[in-house]
Amino acid sequence: MGKILENHSKQLIRQNGVPAPESWTVSSAEEAYGVVSKVGKPVVLKALVPVGKRGKAGAIKFADTPEEAREMTETLLNMTVRHFPVENVLVEEKLDIAEEWYVSITLDKNRQLPVIIATTEGGVEVEELVRQRPEKVAMVHVDPFMGLMPYQAKEIWSGLGLSGKPLVQATAILGKLYEIFIKYDAYILEINPLVLTQEGKVMAAASVMGVDDTALYRQPELEGMVEVGSERFWRPLTQLEKDMIAVNDADYRGTARYTEMEGGDIGFMCGGGGGSLLSFDALVKLGGKPANYTETGGNPPEEKVYGLTRGILSKEGVKGLYVAHNITNNTQIDVMARGIVKAVKEMGIDPEQFPIVVREAGVNDAEGKRIFEEAGITYYGEEVTIEQAAAKMIERMKEVYACQS
Amino acid sequence: MSILIGKESRIVIQGITGREAAMITRHTLDYGTPVLAGVTPGKKGQDVHGVPVYDTVREAVEKHGVNTSVVVVPPAFALDAVLESIGNGINVIVVTTENIPQMDVIKMLAVARKEGVHIIGPNTVGMIDPGNRIKLGSIGGDNPERCFVPGRVGVISRSGGMTAETSWMVKRAGFGVSTSIGIGGDSLIGTNIKDLLELFEQDPDTEAVVTFSEPGTSFEEEAAEFVKNGGFTKPLISYVAGRFTESMPEGTVFGHAGAMISGDHGRPSVKMKKLQEAGAHVVDQYDDMIDVLRDVLGEKVRGA
């Protein structure tokens, strides 16, 4: 899943026929001053960061003059909104708002269908509204083959009390939004607020869009707009994480995912989506502090295992390495062993002084065992469970570092 | 006996000429599972480890009466492959492909629901019935016996690798499995835990079920509701991994794509509580399932 910043999502919806205020992207206070001087109207300034609820975070401001715009842009550019430093600001014409509405299109994972959620109540959180006054919220599922029929869009707004020109406009806009949702393989397209201006025009004042990164192969138009996998992170990637993405992307075979934890002293080199979760839980439960999370699997080549292991071991404060995997269906343990041992040797690590515990079983594990043991690394196969191996790891950490202190 | 697959399974592999599919075919044949046909457009007349290849599923149905398909095609072709199978009367489809665009998955699942077809996956390691030596998908690799021995415990796992590990825990406890199923790591899948519990309830040769779960989705919450309402009456032993993720910032994803926590929704602790309240044996440590299995199945034997 990948998020798209508002400057891009606005551009996409506008070019597909949804009315939205004019906007400019600026990266300096002076630029903002220039834009607002030219526009000659009050503007809205929005920090371009991939997080929601920016208003609450103080990341949306209003300016009436170019001077105000310069000052506020400066403030925004110095902000970090939920871990994301603000690098760009979206400058938009301020709308004369008569009413604020809400509409979103997402995938309902339970019903396994696209769902439209809409309300004409303004300035409320839709989640709250669903709980407290569900009659004010329309929730309509869409047949994925038939799509949204104009009459269905009309019924949604009519049911919420619209009529006359606003009904006609809102109906057309919702139809277009659904087309955009499908066209770009979005998993969310939210317009909050959809506004009715004083002049009686329906417009998308703010947009949130996220697209399915597995479908990017058929979305050449989105090139450069999406941070792939950005849904997985709550903060910008660290340098080490970026390096590990490069390691993963260098070869299509197998996966190597890496997430840096704050602090920690145990390098975590585990595999299988579920196997990694279990291994991490096991260490934490025993009082261990993993320095990172990782997932490897799908039979990665030696180079990828090596690169990932090097990355894990290079983090400051790492004083041991725990290697575990569920019993593998296709991942070759001998290949894993060669990659890990190569990294350990190259970094001049002595397993006597630096605890390494391995629990790897599955394809070619006899050869894997030989390679690990030849390198002086504590190896366990299927005779030991993942949780038992985690306990050995914690024990080894205590042994080695108790002696030194 | 087992669920969904067995002696009556007549298997076709879609995309059989691909590198991974050919390997799966070899492992499946080595295990003793008959693979009657393969399908790759434009490759009719070839064979893969002796399995004849056709251009269409229709030909495979006409020549071999296949009723079960394993889909091993690239993501861009998965929707069409599944619709082709459904259109030709196949009623069990194991979709191994990972990273299929979500809207394509929504479409294939919508058709499957309408036609009453069972889709396992997508993004699944597959399923296995060791009693009849039938395996669909990459499950067990080249050595299924290592983890999967015949027995009377059903295994349901949201993680492919942990399907093997959990079945091996069952073996370690001294038992075997009736059917082990990796349901797929995504949040949009064809057959969830509740659906499988319903089938295991009907299966006279399954005495207990073990589940391996992860954060995210409502699969466990739904399963708990189903058990609570009397839909599943056999012993259920459940482990939910990823409790550490609850102390991480909201929206973080660890593990499979389905493992996303948002608000209270999908939290391991909530899943555990609901399963426990429904009467499941929720184990705190994964290794505890060995003792619980011995307790539960020991009782069952004594009671019989």
Side-chain angles (χ1 to χ4, degrees):
Chain A
M1 301 294 117
K3 287 172 185 161
I4 288 188
L5 292 176
E6 191 176 356
N7 53 338
H8 295 308
S9 64
K10 275 275 173 59
Q11 177 197 328
L12 291 171
I13 65 170
R14 217 184 282 121
Q15 84 197 25
N16 283 279
V18 174
E22 276 223 69
S23 60
W24 300 264
T25 306
V26 301
S27 53
S28 75
E30 281 316 309
E31 248 182 289
Y33 180 87
V35 165
V36 179
S37 305
K38 228 179 278 170
V39 176
K41 287 185 199 163
V43 294
V44 185
L45 302 162
K46 299 172 173 177
L48 283 170
V49 280
V51 295
K53 297 178 185 153
R54 284 174 300 173
K56 266 192 188 161
I60 296 177
K61 302 200 176 292
F62 298 89
D64 289 333
T65 64
E67 289 75 22
E68 269 180 32
R70 178 165 55 198
E71 194 181 313
M72 286 169 176
T73 302
E74 188 67 46
T75 311
L76 286 173
L77 287 171
N78 284 319
M79 276 175 78
T80 297
V81 184
R82 298 201 186 91
H83 304 286
F84 287 88
V86 179
E87 284 165 8
N88 292 293
V89 170
L90 190 68
V91 182
E92 280 188 347
E93 248 179 78
K94 193 176 163 215
L95 300 173
D96 271 333
I97 297 172
E99 287 183 36
E100 293 194 356
W101 309 329
Y102 170 96
V103 63
S104 72
I105 308 167
T106 51
L107 297 175
D108 178 340
K109 297 292 178 75
N110 289 330
R111 291 274 303 274
Q112 303 181 329
L113 290 171
V115 62
I116 292 166
I117 299 171
T119 179
T120 48
E121 296 289 296
V124 287
E125 278 197 35
V126 73
E127 293 90 343
E128 267 308 296
L129 194 61
V130 169
R131 266 192 293 274
Q132 288 170 3
R133 286 183 297 157
E135 73 283 357
K136 295 284 183 191
V137 182
M139 205 178 283
V140 174
H141 290 86
V142 184
D143 179 311
F145 288 95
M146 194 161 76
L148 182 72
M149 294 288 112
Y151 82 87
Q152 293 174 303
K154 183 183 66 179
E155 282 179 0
I156 288 173
W157 295 120
S158 167
L160 292 167
L162 296 193
S163 65
K165 279 185 185 158
L167 171 72
V168 175
Q169 289 180 58
T171 299
I173 288 174
L174 180 48
K176 281 176 184 149
L177 289 172
Y178 188 80
E179 277 170 27
I180 294 164
F181 181 83
I182 296 297
K183 178 177 175 184
Y184 296 110
D185 277 296
Y187 64 89
I188 182 162
L189 179 57
E190 181 184 86
I191 307 298
N192 186 20
L194 180 68
V195 303
L196 176 65
T197 64
Q198 296 288 358
E199 305 89 68
K201 217 173 161 224
V202 180
M203 294 180 93
S207 56
V208 170
M209 188 171 180
V211 296
D212 178 359
D213 51 18
T214 63
L216 287 181
Y217 71 86
R218 61 188 183 196
Q219 298 296 351
E221 219 186 309
L222 297 180
E223 174 101 45
M225 293 188 186
V226 185
E227 184 139 342
V228 174
S230 56
E231 265 300 293
R232 281 182 176 261
F233 290 94
W234 69 96
R235 52 159 170 72
L237 297 176
T238 66
Q239 188 54 48
L240 198 46
E241 285 168 349
K242 286 182 189 161
D243 294 348
M244 292 303 101
I245 287 175
V247 165
N248 190 42
D249 290 348
D251 194 315
Y252 73 94
R253 292 171 295 171
T255 51
R257 281 204 192 104
Y258 177 93
T259 306
E260 207 170 327
M261 295 287 155
E262 227 166 276
D265 56 3
I266 298 176
F268 184 84
M269 172 62 188
C270 294
S276 281
L277 291 172
L278 170 58
S279 301
F280 203 101
D281 272 345
L283 289 174
V284 169
K285 186 168 275 177
L286 293 163
K289 290 195 180 61
N292 67 284
Y293 183 78
T294 195
E295 263 172 59
T296 178
N299 199 14
E302 183 182 325
E303 221 23 49
K304 191 173 276 193
V305 176
Y306 161 75
L308 180 61
T309 310
R310 264 201 90 107
I312 291 167
L313 291 171
S314 72
K315 189 188 157 185
E316 206 177 318
V318 169
K319 291 154 65 184
L321 184 67
Y322 176 60
V323 181
H325 224 116
N326 50 256
I327 299 171
T328 64
N329 291 303
N330 66 345
T331 295
Q332 298 173 72
I333 307 306
D334 54 337
V335 175
M336 293 283 299
R338 275 188 208 103
I340 293 167
V341 166
K342 186 176 165 201
V344 166
K345 281 195 175 149
E346 265 190 28
M347 294 181 80
I349 287 171
D350 172 11
E352 285 291 314
Q353 309 297 319
F354 184 102
I356 304 178
V357 170
V358 172
R359 193 280 193 176
E360 291 278 332
V363 183
N364 301 341
D365 55 5
E367 177 65 4
K369 175 180 158 83
R370 192 189 62 75
I371 295 165
F372 279 123
E373 288 183 342
E374 219 172 72
I377 292 170
T378 312
Y379 169 89
Y380 300 104
E382 66 179 26
E383 70 285 356
V384 162
T385 68
I386 291 173
E387 285 179 342
Q388 287 166 345
K392 305 264 187 203
M393 181 70 209
I394 301 292
E395 228 172 80
R396 281 283 292 146
M397 288 293 282
K398 281 186 185 147
E399 263 171 38
V400 170
Y401 296 107
C403 297
Q404 288 178 2
S405 57
Chain B
M1 249 188 65
S2 57
I3 61 167
L4 293 171
I5 54 170
K7 284 203 200 74
E8 49 309 311
S9 298
R10 299 184 65 81
I11 300 161
V12 58
I13 296 182
Q14 290 175 265
I16 193 165
T17 53
R19 188 177 60 100
E20 200 195 334
M23 189 177 77
I24 289 175
T25 304
R26 184 165 53 81
H27 293 162
T28 306
L29 292 169
D30 288 350
Y31 186 50
T33 306
V35 178
L36 303 178
V39 172
T40 302
K43 301 274 171 86
K44 183 178 177 174
Q46 296 186 5
D47 77 279
V48 174
H49 305 300
V51 176
V53 180
Y54 300 93
D55 287 331
T56 64
V57 171
R58 174 160 298 176
E59 291 166 285
V61 171
E62 281 166 3
K63 298 257 172 40
H64 304 279
V66 295
N67 57 15
T68 301
S69 173
V70 182
V71 174
V72 196
V73 303
F77 307 108
L79 171 61
D80 193 52
V82 169
L83 294 183
E84 184 182 3
S85 259
I86 295 175
N88 283 284
I90 304 283
N91 53 31
V92 175
I93 305 172
V94 172
V95 185
T96 67
T97 312
E98 190 178 355
N99 292 326
I100 303 173
Q102 296 209 355
M103 194 45 69
D104 292 4
V105 177
I106 293 245
K107 284 180 176 167
M108 69 174 75
L109 298 182
V111 177
R113 277 197 304 275
K114 193 161 147 244
E115 302 293 329
V117 169
H118 291 283
I119 288 184
I120 304 292
N123 187 14
T124 174
V125 71
M127 56 192 297
I128 189 167
D129 160 10
N132 289 307
R133 298 184 79 83
I134 301 289
K135 86 176 191 93
L136 302 181
S138 63
I139 192 164
D142 61 351
N143 185 12
E145 286 91 352
R146 179 199 284 267
C147 299
F148 304 97
V149 297
R152 300 169 77 81
V153 178
V155 171
I156 304 169
S157 170
R158 284 180 52 193
S159 156
M162 294 308 290
T163 314
E165 186 85 22
T166 304
S167 301
W168 171 81
M169 293 292 272
V170 172
K171 178 181 171 186
R172 201 175 154 101
F175 307 101
V177 297
S178 53
T179 316
S180 288
I181 304 119
I183 62 175
D186 299 341
S187 54
L188 284 169
I189 54 170
T191 307
N192 63 25
I193 298 173
K194 181 206 74 186
D195 301 331
L196 291 170
L197 288 179
E198 198 171 348
L199 295 169
F200 275 127
E201 177 74 6
Q202 312 287 322
D203 177 26
D205 294 328
T206 298
E207 284 182 2
V209 169
V210 180
T211 59
F212 178 89
S213 285
E214 296 183 0
T217 79
S218 318
F219 300 153
E220 290 74 19
E221 289 84 340
E222 270 176 52
E225 197 62 28
F226 183 68
V227 172
K228 208 171 170 180
N229 294 334
F232 184 76
T233 58
K234 300 173 184 183
L236 174 64
I237 299 140
S238 297
Y239 176 80
V240 185
R243 267 167 286 167
F244 78 91
T245 60
E246 294 192 30
S247 55
M248 303 300 296
E250 187 179 316
T252 313
V253 183
F254 292 99
H256 296 100
M260 193 181 307
I261 296 186
S262 192
D264 249 3
H265 183 81
R267 284 182 180 276
S269 57
V270 173
K271 292 176 184 298
M272 292 171 74
K273 187 159 166 273
K274 294 225 161 133
L275 285 165
Q276 202 140 29
E277 282 168 2
H281 303 267
V282 177
V283 292
D284 195 41
Q285 305 239 71
Y286 185 68
D287 288 1
D288 291 347
M289 73 171 62
I290 292 177
D291 286 341
V292 175
L293 267 168
R294 285 179 182 151
D295 275 1
V296 164
L297 290 178
E299 251 169 51
K300 191 102 180 157
V301 171
R302 274 198 303 277

